[in-house]
Amino acid sequence: MQHSATPVVTAVRGHILQFVGSPFCEDPMSVLRDYSDGLVVIRDGKIAEVGDYASLRSELPEGTQIDDHSGKFVMAGFVDCHVHFPQVEVIASYGTQLIEWLNKYTFPAESKFGDKEYALKAADVFLAESFRNGITSSSVYCTIHPESVDALFERAEVVGARMVAGKVMMDRNAPDTLRDTAQSSYDDSKALLQKWHGRGRAIYAITPRFAPTSTPEQLEAAGSLWREFPEARLQTHTSENKKEIEWVRELYPNSQDYVGVYEDFGLLGKGCVLGHGIYLSEREKQVISESGTAVAHCPTSNTFIGSGLFDVDGSQRGAHPFRTGLATDVGGGSSFSMLATMRSAYEVAQLRGYSLHPAQAYYLATVGSAQTLYLEDKIGNLQAGMEADLVVIDPRSTPLIAHRMAYANDLMEALFIQMILGDDRAISATYVAGNCVHQRG
Ligand code: GUN
Ligand code: ZN
């Protein structure tokens, strides 16, 4: 990044949307502030001001570049709090559920990522596809190979994206090509953490894949690494599939339940994001809630792999509420589009008997996901002082959407139409740290 004496000021004009509260705790209609002709003023990659164009334009330094997206929605870039970059090549793989899906498609694909050049190409595809869909930050599972972690962080660094990522740790129940050991996974993870965590916008996540692919010794190693570096994040999977839960009971007979395994090894706490959490017991929800652990809701994955229906409302308003974000979980997930992921979250909620409000869906995809990573002071909303990661949504991106929009009565209906009918074609532009990284057309 270049530092000049005079700060670089730019601005983005459009229909600005900003969260001023939680739609799960307050009236969802009241938590979105909007400026129909608004301006986001950006100084050195951070948001300097958000407000009405009419009142802010006179304060801009002479010659300030203003990107004009009038008539389009401008909001915080989406945050994907659980995704696997090496699995892009197996998205849309037919006919299996979790364990068979891992063995048949995922593990063979991940086995190739010891090749740095291969990993770099995959990282390019992953980042381009994320930006095309308005995703500006992700929490990423790499593979067991340190090369895969270097590849992703190196490419993210070039554009200055805030990226959370880590080397997958797995020392059993996986092919030879994908097994490390408790010691080597500790050593490699530590070296990567020391190399990347806090460098630019990179954040390291200690990443034991899930209880079935780690021995107790490896989970112990992951826990001691986190105690040494509590500022790092930690990510793993839990309670996604009924057979998986049964398997964990056999592998860890001394733990109370699936979440209890992670609890026993010191892997829960602020900065831990558990993927899925579909079949959590009240006890598990309570330890998640009390420890500050978060859960990534991955609706397209849960329906595509046939895992089940996550109770998102319960996660926010149940007896034991916990931080919850929205995630694509590509390649188990079937789409890179956060709009499509919101639609899927809406459909999953419908099947559970309630309707996810559009304000709640957009909140989960931005503020909620940022909260899972304890990054809500930096990303996931448009507030002065936060990092200038933005998405611009064209509200009339297809003939059908344009037609339907002619009958929309208010802002919430317009946003709902986008999340039900929209996809990558709705993403007009994406900004990372104030720089445009994707422009449609
Ligand atoms: N559980 C363990 N590994 C994975 C994975 O790669 N994807 C999903 N969806 N679940 C998992
Ligand atoms: Zn996953």
Side-chain angles (χ1 to χ4, degrees):
M1 197 174 280
Q2 287 187 336
H3 289 281
S4 52
T6 36
V8 180
V9 179
T10 57
V12 174
R13 182 182 182 182
H15 188 158
I16 313 286
L17 303 172
Q18 173 187 61
F19 278 103
V20 294
S22 165
F24 291 97
C25 305
E26 298 163 48
D27 175 5
M29 299 298 281
S30 71
V31 297
L32 254 188
R33 181 182 293 157
D34 74 308
Y35 301 90
S36 56
D37 184 10
L39 201 65
V40 181
V41 182
I42 298 164
R43 189 182 300 129
D44 285 342
K46 291 208 170 148
I47 298 170
E49 275 183 284
V50 180
D52 284 316
Y53 174 74
S55 52
L56 289 179
R57 85 182 137 174
S58 56
E59 296 173 17
L60 296 176
E62 257 222 317
T64 299
Q65 177 194 320
I66 301 177
D67 288 2
D68 194 342
H69 299 287
S70 293
K72 294 177 180 161
F73 295 123
V74 177
M75 60 187 300
F78 298 129
V79 180
D80 183 355
C81 65
H82 180 122
V83 63
H84 301 255
F85 102 87
Q87 295 177 14
V88 178
E89 64 191 65
V90 294
I91 191 172
S93 289
Y94 176 77
T96 55
Q97 298 210 348
L98 180 62
I99 306 302
E100 196 192 344
W101 174 82
L102 285 171
N103 287 314
K104 185 170 175 182
Y105 301 115
T106 308
F107 290 163
E110 291 191 9
S111 295
K112 303 176 207 161
F113 281 72
D115 177 342
K116 179 79 182 285
E117 287 308 310
Y118 193 84
L120 282 167
K121 283 190 188 126
D124 285 337
V125 173
F126 170 79
L127 289 173
E129 202 55 36
S130 297
F131 297 153
R132 271 174 23 76
N133 283 285
I135 296 167
T136 47
S137 283
S138 304
S139 192
V140 186
Y141 288 65
C142 302
T143 65
I144 67 153
H145 314 96
E147 292 85 352
S148 71
V149 181
D150 283 333
L152 184 75
F153 276 136
E154 282 171 23
R155 289 306 206 237
E157 187 171 58
V158 172
V159 276
R162 187 165 282 291
M163 205 54 60
V164 182
K167 176 204 124 64
V168 166
M169 304 166 79
M170 46 200 298
D171 66 347
R172 66 167 161 177
N173 293 318
D176 294 348
T177 47
L178 273 191
R179 274 201 318 268
D180 50 21
T181 68
Q183 188 63 47
S184 75
S185 70
Y186 171 88
D187 293 341
D188 288 347
S189 299
K190 183 170 177 171
L192 289 162
L193 193 160
Q194 290 180 311
K195 177 175 180 183
W196 288 107
H197 187 80
R199 173 164 149 184
R201 297 179 79 194
I203 291 179
Y204 193 81
I206 299 162
T207 309
R209 179 177 215 113
F210 69 155
T213 48
S214 286
T215 58
E217 292 70 35
Q218 185 166 60
L219 294 187
E220 187 67 47
S224 41
L225 185 59
W226 204 19
R227 282 189 292 281
E228 268 177 78
F229 299 95
E231 67 280 17
R233 307 304 191 266
L234 188 140
Q235 56 185 354
T236 187
H237 296 82
T238 199
S239 206
E240 176 179 5
N241 168 289
K242 288 182 179 164
K243 280 192 192 149
E244 169 210 17
I245 296 167
E246 199 44 51
W247 195 19
V248 171
R249 225 190 304 277
E250 290 163 19
L251 291 169
Y252 288 92
N254 297 329
S255 292
Q256 286 200 58
D257 43 43
Y258 199 156
V259 171
V261 174
Y262 299 138
E263 187 184 7
D264 291 345
F265 291 96
L267 303 179
L268 301 182
K270 295 179 180 173
C272 167
V273 184
L274 300 173
H276 309 289
I278 298 170
Y279 300 103
L280 298 171
S281 67
E282 282 308 302
R283 194 206 81 83
E284 290 177 300
K285 289 178 197 169
Q286 186 171 353
V287 277
I288 287 173
S289 175
E290 288 174 358
S291 61
T293 300
V295 172
H297 177 25
C298 312
T300 72
S301 169
N302 297 161
T303 50
F304 181 77
I305 318 188
S307 301
L309 308 173
F310 177 72
D311 179 12
V312 71
D313 190 65
S315 80
Q316 302 300 295
R317 285 201 277 241
H320 309 292
F322 46 84
R323 292 175 178 233
T324 302
L326 197 63
T328 66
D329 192 27
V330 163
S334 55
S335 178
F336 258 103
S337 168
M338 266 297 191
L339 294 171
T341 306
M342 286 183 235
R343 173 181 66 217
S344 183
Y346 178 81
E347 291 169 347
V348 166
Q350 287 288 78
L351 288 168
R352 290 200 66 115
Y354 53 84
S355 303
L356 191 69
H357 192 279
Q360 295 174 333
Y362 286 86
Y363 184 86
L364 288 171
T366 54
V367 182
S369 276
Q371 285 173 340
T372 67
L373 297 161
Y374 285 79
L375 289 174
E376 66 270 26
D377 58 331
K378 295 186 171 61
I379 56 172
N381 207 351
L382 300 185
Q383 302 276 5
M386 292 178 69
E387 296 165 357
D389 295 342
L390 277 59
V391 59
V392 181
I393 299 175
D394 173 2
R396 294 175 185 77
S397 59
T398 71
L400 175 63
I401 297 175
H403 181 74
R404 177 64 181 86
M405 281 290 288
Y407 301 90
N409 292 305
D410 57 30
L411 175 63
M412 286 303 167
E413 193 174 350
L415 290 175
F416 187 62
I417 292 165
Q418 303 311 313
M419 65 180 245
I420 299 302
L421 298 175
D423 52 29
D424 56 319
R425 291 167 292 180
I427 307 304
S428 257
T430 305
Y431 291 79
V432 165
N435 297 313
C436 186
V437 294
H438 164 68
Q439 176 107 45
R440 192 169 167 76

